[in-house]
Amino acid sequence: TGEVAHPAMKVPRIIEIGDAHGMHYAISRRVMVGFIDDLAPESIAAALPSLLTALDSARVVTISGSTGFGGFDAMGNAPFPTWRDYLIEVATDPPAPRGHGWRVALERSAPGPAHFDAAFEHFLTLLDALPNERHLLHCDLLNYNVLVQGHELAAMIDWGCGMWGDFMYDIAWIAYCWAYHPEWAGVDMVGAAKQHYAAHGLEVPAFDTRLRAYLIHIGLGDVRYSAYIGKWDQVAFANRQLECLVEQGRLDPTLRWVQAEA
C-alpha cells in the first residue's frame, strides 16, 4: 500500500502535478487493492463503517484557510458566499465551457422540464433546514474513486468534484448512487450512517430533511448534466427519483439503473 498524506482519510500522497497535452495531471502513490464498487453485498455492508469513518475525518479536517462554498479552486477558495447560494445555482444555466445549454435541450426534449421544475420548487421549501456549514466533501465516491483492502478503506482518490459544504451532502451522494448497484439493494446505507453517527455521539439535526433535500439537489444536477450531454435514459431515471422524493420523501426503492442499449 502506498504512503498516504492524510492517514485517517486515506488520501494517497501526491508526488507530482503538471500539465500535458492541454490538460492537467496528478500522480499519486499507487495503491494495489480493489474498488469498493466491485464488492459483493456482504462485503459492502462490512466496508461501510470504514468508509463512514473516513468521511468523519473529512468532516473535521481544517479548512480555515479557505473561503466560500461549492467547488474550490487551486487555492482552496470557492465562489459562493453561502451554501444556499451554491445549492440554488442548480436551476440556472450561465455561460460556461461545460454545461451551458442544458435548459434549452431539456425544454426541447420529450421528457421536458416539468419534473425538474416541480422538484426544484419543492427543494426551495427545504432550504431553511439546511445548515450553512463548511466541510470537505468528495461528491464522487461511488465512481471507482474508493479503494478497499478486505473490509477496510485503503484510499480515496480523484477529488476533482470536491467542494465545501454540509457533510450530509456526501451521505446523500452515496445514497443516490446506491441505485447503480442493484446487488446492494438489501444493504441499508442510510441506516448504517444513522447508526454510525449515533454510536459516535454525533447529533445530526434534521437528518432526514437534509438527506431528502440533498437527494433532490443531486437529482436535479443529474437531469441538468444528462440533458446537456443528451443522455435521455438517464434523465428518465433521475425524473423518476425526483418524483418519488417529492411525493414520498424517499428514493424509489424498486428503481435500479440499467444502462440503455447504444
Side-chain angles (χ1 to χ4, degrees), residues 151-166:
H151 297 152
E152 296 297 317
L153 187 142
M156 296 171 68
I157 62 174
D158 191 354
W159 290 77
C161 294
M163 63 182 187
W164 309 131
D166 179 5

Side-chain angles (χ1 to χ4, degrees), residues 26-134:
I27 300 174
S28 70
R29 298 287 184 183
R30 190 173 187 182
V31 181
M32 297 291 291
V33 287
F35 292 103
I36 199 170
D37 307 67
D38 296 329
L39 293 181
E42 62 275 12
S43 296
I44 187 63
L48 275 174
S50 182
L51 174 59
L52 291 167
T53 297
L55 292 179
D56 286 342
S57 298
R59 188 183 74 251
V60 299
V61 71
T62 301
I63 61 173
S64 57
S66 62
T67 62
F69 290 82
F72 44 75
D73 61 19
M75 301 303 294
N77 298 319
F80 297 94
T82 70
W83 182 227
R84 180 189 182 106
D85 288 327
Y86 164 73
L87 293 170
I88 63 175
E89 190 270 344
V90 72
T92 68
D93 191 3
R98 184 181 184 187
H100 179 60
W102 71 268
R103 179 71 195 194
V104 171
L106 184 62
E107 290 175 347
R108 292 175 177 173
S109 72
H115 284 89
F116 183 98
D117 293 343
F120 182 69
E121 288 302 313
H122 185 75
F123 172 74
L124 293 177
T125 70
L126 305 175
L127 276 177
D128 287 345
L130 310 181
N132 195 52
E133 297 178 355
R134 296 175 71 246

